[in-house]
Each structure stands twice: as structure tokens, then as C-alpha cells.
């Protein structure tokens, strides 16, 4: 299996751009007004510029780690990000609690499978958040992160789609 270490920086950037182009072309994303995204780590599809771009057209929410939970906050610009838990940039904007109003959620994962199951980093943050979100859920990943099957329990929330490049 390939890994991010085998991808050079240009390939990483190119693949991230292709994956995000497919995401923004998705009809559910195009129709969405309030979108939950995540501020990517170095081994994830790079969402930083995507967040800035779409924050001019949609309300963007980003998660903030608070104890054992993810709080959602409005993204108001790069100037309002601070380094939080796990060295992830997190917004300092207003807290958002109306989960029913979220139209589209982009969810990170270490791996996804063909049935839409996701494998996280093991802390359970998204496992606790996902049952609260009726929004359309999309996992985004590099091709080497898409597996035939990942471990899943009956209570795990599947993605409505997984977007990568082939």
C-alpha cells in the first residue's frame, strides 16, 4: 500500500486539488449553504485553501476539540485560527449548535471502505459527533486510503459518499 511518504509534495498537492474539485462538483455540496469541513493535517487531503475559497460563498464550520468532544465553530478567516489540540488549527469564532441546519459534512479519516465506513484516528471524536448530524456526509481521501473493507460496528455511521481519485 502506498503512503503519503511515497507521494512527493507536487503529487500531494495535485491529488488534493483533484479530490476537492470532485467534492465541489458534487450536487449536494453545490446546493449546501452550511458546510462542516475540517482543517487538514499534513497527512490528509489539504483543505486549507478550499476552506478559504468557499467561506466567501457558504457558511463554513470547523471542529474544535473541547475535552472529549468536538465543538463546531464558524470559520471567519485564517486570522481567527489558533493552534489547538493535536496541533490542529481551530477557529475562535462563534460556537454553532444547530446541527439540523448543517447541509453537508466533509469528514476526515485514516481510511474508508467501499461501503462508506471510515476508520478514524482512534479517539472517537467523530464517532460521537456523526450521530448528531443529519447532513449529507462525504469522506475525502487519497486513493491509497480507500480499502475494500475497514473494521466497522453496527452503530458506526457510514458516509453517504467517499470521494477520491481513481
Amino acid at each position: 500500500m502506498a503512503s503519503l511518504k511515497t507521494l512527493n509534495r507536487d503529487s500531494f498537492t495535485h491529488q488534493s486539488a483533484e479530490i476537492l474539485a470532485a467534492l465541489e462538483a458534487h450536487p449536494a455540496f453545490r446546493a449546501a449553504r452550511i458546510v462542516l469541513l475540517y482543517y487538514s493535517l499534513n497527512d490528509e487531503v489539504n483543505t486549507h485553501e478550499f476552506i478559504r475559497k468557499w467561506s466567501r460563498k457558504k457558511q463554513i464550520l470547523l471542529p474544535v476539540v473541547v475535552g472529549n468532544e468536538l465543538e463546531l465553530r464558524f470559520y471567519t478567516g485564517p486570522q481567527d485560527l489558533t493552534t489547538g489540540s493535536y496541533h490542529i488549527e481551530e477557529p475562535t469564532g462563534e460556537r454553532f449548535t444547530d446541527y439540523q441546519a448543517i447541509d453537508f459534512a466533509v469528514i476526515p479519516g485514516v481510511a474508508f471502505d467501499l461501503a462508506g465506513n471510515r476508520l478514524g484516528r482512534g479517539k472517537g471524536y467523530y464517532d460521537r459527533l456523526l450521530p448528531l448530524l443529519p447532513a449529507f456526509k462525504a469522506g475525502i481521501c487519497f486513493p491509497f486510503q480507500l480499502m475494500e473493507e475497514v473494521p466497522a460496528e453496527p452503530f458506526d455511521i457510514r458516509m453517504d459518499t467517499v470521494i477520491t481519485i481513481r
Side-chain angles (χ1 to χ4, degrees):
M1 175 169 94
S3 73
L4 240 156
K5 290 180 181 176
T6 63
L7 293 176
N8 65 39
R9 183 56 55 195
D10 288 341
S11 178
F12 170 74
T13 301
H14 178 73
Q15 285 191 20
S16 289
E18 278 191 58
I19 293 162
L20 294 170
L23 172 65
E24 68 188 1
H26 194 285
F29 178 83
R30 298 201 65 76
R33 292 181 316 101
I34 300 176
V35 177
L36 170 62
L37 283 159
Y38 64 92
Y39 207 79
S40 58
L41 293 169
N42 289 336
D43 62 347
E44 296 172 325
V45 173
N46 188 329
T47 60
H48 302 181
E49 185 54 40
F50 187 83
I51 290 167
R52 282 189 287 278
K53 171 185 175 182
W54 283 101
S55 69
R56 296 181 206 107
K57 300 172 185 160
K58 299 178 183 290
Q59 287 187 301
I60 302 297
L61 301 169
L62 296 177
V64 173
V65 175
V66 178
N68 288 324
E69 304 297 324
L70 289 178
E71 242 180 42
L72 305 182
R73 298 197 184 203
F74 287 103
Y75 172 80
T76 53
Q79 72 282 355
D80 294 325
L81 294 174
T82 187
T83 303
S85 300
Y86 308 103
H87 305 287
I88 300 170
E89 293 297 307
E90 299 175 335
T92 58
E94 180 184 338
R95 185 173 178 193
F96 184 88
T97 58
D98 186 5
Y99 297 139
Q100 303 296 315
I102 300 170
D103 301 307
F104 195 95
V106 180
I107 309 298
V110 173
F112 294 90
D113 70 19
L114 302 174
N117 294 304
R118 69 176 281 280
L119 183 64
R121 294 182 183 269
K123 299 288 186 183
Y125 291 109
Y126 280 93
D127 293 331
R128 290 184 287 281
L129 177 65
L130 287 172
L132 305 174
L133 300 178
F136 188 93
K137 296 165 193 67
I140 59 174
C141 64
F142 295 107
F144 68 83
Q145 294 174 292
L146 186 60
M147 309 288 151
E148 211 162 299
E149 187 176 356
V150 297
E153 300 292 334
F155 55 81
D156 286 334
I157 305 294
R158 290 182 179 175
M159 302 296 99
D160 295 303
T161 191
V162 177
I163 298 172
T164 190
I165 55 174
R166 300 211 190 271

